[in-house]
Amino acid sequence: MLFDERDLRVFDNPDSRQYFEEILQCYYSKNYRATIVLLYSFVIYDLFMKLQTMASEGNNKAEEKLAEINELILKNEKYLEVEKKIIEFFNKNCKLYFNRFTEDVNYLRECRHKCAHLKVNDNTLYVPEDYQARMLICSMYDNILSVKAPFIMDLFSIVEEVVEIYSQRIDNISQNSLDERIKNEITKNYLERMTYDSLKMSYKTFLKLLFITTDKDAERNAYGLFAFVYAMTDHIRKNGFERLFKEEDVRKKLLSISIENLENSSERKQSLIELILNFPILLDIIKEDVSLFEYISNEILLNPNGIKYYRLFYPRSNKTPYEFFKDNSIVQQPLYSMTLYDAVKESVDFDLAEFSKILINKVPPYNGFNDADGFMYFFKRHLNDMAIEDIDSVMSIYRRNGQCTGRSRHSTDYQEVSKYLEEHKVHDTSEDESN
């Protein structure tokens, strides 16, 4: 069997499935001439249906060609003329969308003519070999029949209502908040059917709507726009179209993003942050605008959860992540002690004792209970990594801050550290005496 039940599911309507099954039945019965003739007719029919789909979705070129073909049909023009117009349209506008379109369709047409007409020299009919019929069936199925009708237009005009629906379904702007089903829906329903040119045109439109336009509807639907831009960026990257990001008109759109627009919209700012963190190729473009790059890098790196991306922004800098931490007091937040530790611990100049003292000194003198909790959660887990005198030094600072000693967890934390110090001080003393 060339095709099973699963293979036949690619046909959206029962007529198409029935036509294809008839072709297969002819092949299995070894009626190879009939197979080729039926296959050619079905390919023309399939292309004509795809042309109608494209026209109904707003493709201007498809609309014009469909009107021209329908007029030929009404005038009872020769069927060969209709076939020619259909093939010409896809050959001119979509041949890169369908693999081997020109070569395979031309070969199929040539075989069909041989099967349908007498050989002039000996008044016989051409009989194709089994392998020829099988190859043509498989090629047409793989490269044309199983391929959805292509988009050759700006996507936003088709999905405006879908963008609004997604805006209501998504809770916040982050890669993790995007339901996999939404990304898969966007990819399967739209992106897989788009050519390189239509992807580029659509990507520019969505970038403009998400980051640049002053249109209030666009701002209200930022979540849905983000979903499409994220899915498109991922699709472009996975399908080897990275050069699209470097196209001059796409670069200009990205470099047209203004700091003012980001400042005035937390949704836009977070959208850009999520995109450049997940797709570094966009960050490479943003770097060309020094002001924009510095603004967005500070928005990320001066946040305890973002300092881990330091090397992404400054891969060649002599300054280590730990130096960056020490130079920027705004990021020295005790509540995030463990997060900060994970971000800077691999730096060659990292000093755990110094790091701990910096953070314990940052516990504020009021409203600092949570900060003290965050610090002590980290500190207790790294007692074994510090010298006794350094632990004593940190705890001396701890005891002088009422926000550390006045919280509910103080007794438990303090007893745990005190017990550790007692045990290890005794151990250290006994070692000294033995020496």
Side-chain angles (χ1 to χ4, degrees):
M1 294 286 288
L2 289 180
F3 301 91
D4 58 23
E5 183 67 25
R6 183 176 56 185
D7 296 323
L8 298 178
R9 292 175 190 166
V10 303
F11 299 111
D12 295 329
N13 66 74
D15 287 343
S16 292
R17 176 172 175 149
Q18 181 181 339
Y19 298 152
F20 190 68
E21 288 177 334
E22 184 182 2
I23 293 167
L24 295 178
Q25 191 57 51
C26 278
Y27 170 75
Y28 298 142
S29 301
K30 298 186 179 181
N31 297 321
Y32 301 132
R33 286 192 299 109
T35 299
I36 298 299
V37 172
L38 288 174
L39 179 62
Y40 179 73
S41 296
F42 181 48
V43 168
I44 298 300
Y45 164 82
D46 183 73
L47 291 173
F48 185 56
M49 298 301 290
K50 286 179 168 64
L51 180 65
Q52 292 185 54
T53 298
M54 294 167 67
S56 68
E57 291 175 341
N59 185 289
N60 294 332
K61 292 181 179 178
E63 289 176 358
E64 293 174 4
K65 183 57 66 175
L66 182 61
E68 180 183 347
I69 291 172
N70 283 334
E71 188 175 351
L72 290 175
I73 295 173
L74 286 173
K75 291 180 177 179
N76 292 317
E77 293 288 341
K78 292 181 180 179
Y79 181 61
L80 286 176
E81 186 65 23
V82 174
E83 295 174 2
K84 181 180 176 182
K85 294 292 183 183
I86 293 172
I87 293 174
E88 277 181 355
F89 174 83
F90 285 96
N91 207 4
K92 181 179 180 180
N93 297 284
C94 311
K95 69 177 181 180
L96 296 179
Y97 182 79
F98 299 104
N99 292 330
R100 295 180 52 81
F101 182 86
T102 302
E103 298 90 336
D104 286 1
V105 171
N106 284 346
Y107 182 61
L108 174 62
R109 180 166 53 182
E110 180 182 335
C111 288
R112 181 264 177 196
H113 290 341
K114 288 181 179 180
C115 291
H117 302 296
L118 288 171
K119 290 183 179 179
V120 177
N121 55 348
D122 59 4
N123 293 330
T124 61
L125 289 173
Y126 169 76
V127 180
E129 298 291 337
D130 179 285
Y131 78 88
Q132 290 174 300
R134 183 175 66 252
M135 180 275 292
L136 282 168
I137 292 172
C138 293
S139 176
M140 292 301 111
Y141 175 89
D142 291 339
N143 300 322
I144 295 179
L145 303 176
S146 63
V147 179
K148 298 293 185 182
F151 275 129
I152 312 292
M153 76 286 284
D154 196 335
L155 179 60
F156 182 72
S157 61
I158 306 300
V159 299
E160 190 169 354
E161 291 184 3
V162 180
V163 170
E164 295 179 2
I165 292 171
Y166 285 160
S167 292
Q168 296 169 6
R169 286 172 56 184
I170 299 171
D171 294 331
N172 58 76
I173 290 180
S174 73
Q175 183 269 337
N176 292 329
S177 73
L178 277 183
D179 191 318
E180 278 297 320
R181 287 176 297 178
I182 291 178
K183 289 186 283 188
N184 291 337
E185 283 173 9
I186 293 173
T187 301
K188 182 178 180 181
N189 294 340
Y190 310 108
L191 306 184
E192 288 181 352
R193 296 173 53 195
M194 297 176 71
T195 64
Y196 179 90
D197 289 337
S198 60
L199 271 173
K200 185 173 79 167
M201 181 187 300
S202 300
Y203 197 59
K204 288 189 298 180
T205 298
F206 275 91
L207 287 176
K208 177 182 177 181
L209 291 170
L210 181 57
F211 294 116
I212 301 169
T213 185
T214 57
D215 183 87
K216 295 300 180 184
D217 286 337
E219 292 184 31
R220 280 194 294 270
N221 291 295
Y223 290 5
L225 291 169
F226 169 74
F228 269 88
V229 172
Y230 190 96
M232 292 173 73
T233 306
D234 192 46
H235 178 77
I236 290 168
R237 183 183 58 84
K238 286 180 178 178
N239 285 273
F241 296 148
E242 285 93 343
R243 64 186 178 91
L244 184 150
F245 300 118
K246 299 179 182 179
E247 295 263 11
E248 187 61 26
D249 42 356
V250 175
R251 286 178 58 261
K252 284 183 177 178
K253 276 288 182 288
L254 287 166
L255 295 173
S256 295
I257 300 173
S258 72
I259 295 174
E260 181 181 1
N261 274 358
L262 299 179
E263 284 278 80
N264 292 334
S265 171
S266 60
E267 292 83 5
R268 284 180 165 173
K269 184 195 305 182
Q270 191 57 38
S271 294
L272 184 58
I273 288 173
E274 287 293 324
L275 288 168
I276 63 178
L277 291 183
N278 286 283
F279 306 105
I281 193 170
L282 299 183
L283 178 59
D284 291 340
I285 297 171
I286 296 297
K287 284 181 179 179
E288 297 177 32
D289 184 333
V290 176
S291 297
L292 179 59
F293 172 73
E294 289 183 353
Y295 170 80
I296 206 68
S297 64
N298 286 335
E299 287 292 316
I300 295 171
L301 300 180
L302 296 180
N303 180 313
N305 290 313
I307 195 172
K308 62 184 177 182
Y309 298 109
Y310 177 78
R311 282 301 176 199
L312 175 65
F313 284 86
Y314 300 102
R316 299 180 183 86
S317 174
N318 291 326
K319 180 182 290 188
T320 67
Y322 184 54
E323 282 183 274
F324 181 85
F325 163 80
K326 290 196 293 181
D327 290 344
N328 293 277
S329 60
I330 191 173
V331 81
Q332 298 166 2
Q333 299 181 33
L335 177 62
Y336 299 94
S337 295
M338 187 64 77
T339 299
L340 291 167
Y341 170 78
D342 289 337
V344 303
K345 65 183 179 181
E346 299 300 329
S347 297
V348 294
D349 56 341
F350 178 67
D351 184 322
L352 179 59
E354 180 185 43
F355 176 79
S356 300
K357 291 172 188 176
I358 289 173
L359 289 177
I360 189 61
N361 274 307
K362 288 293 181 177
V363 175
Y366 53 88
N367 295 329
F369 289 169
N370 289 336
D371 289 272
D373 282 344
F375 174 78
M376 290 304 291
Y377 176 83
F378 152 78
F379 185 65
K380 290 187 301 179
R381 282 157 179 75
H382 292 88
L383 296 176
N384 282 321
D385 302 321
M386 297 178 65
I388 296 299
E389 58 268 24
D390 290 324
I391 297 175
D392 270 334
S393 178
V394 170
M395 293 307 293
S396 175
I397 301 169
Y398 173 94
R399 288 190 293 270
R400 293 197 298 269
N401 190 329
Q403 294 297 300
C404 294
T405 58
R407 61 200 175 90
S408 60
R409 290 193 55 82
H410 163 65
S411 296
T412 303
D413 289 344
Y414 194 76
Q415 288 174 10
E416 186 174 335
V417 176
S418 297
K419 181 180 178 182
Y420 178 88
L421 288 172
E422 288 173 9
E423 292 174 352
H424 287 76
K425 281 181 178 178
V426 169
H427 179 71
D428 288 347
T429 302
S430 61
E431 282 190 348
D432 290 342
E433 290 175 351
S434 66
N435 291 330

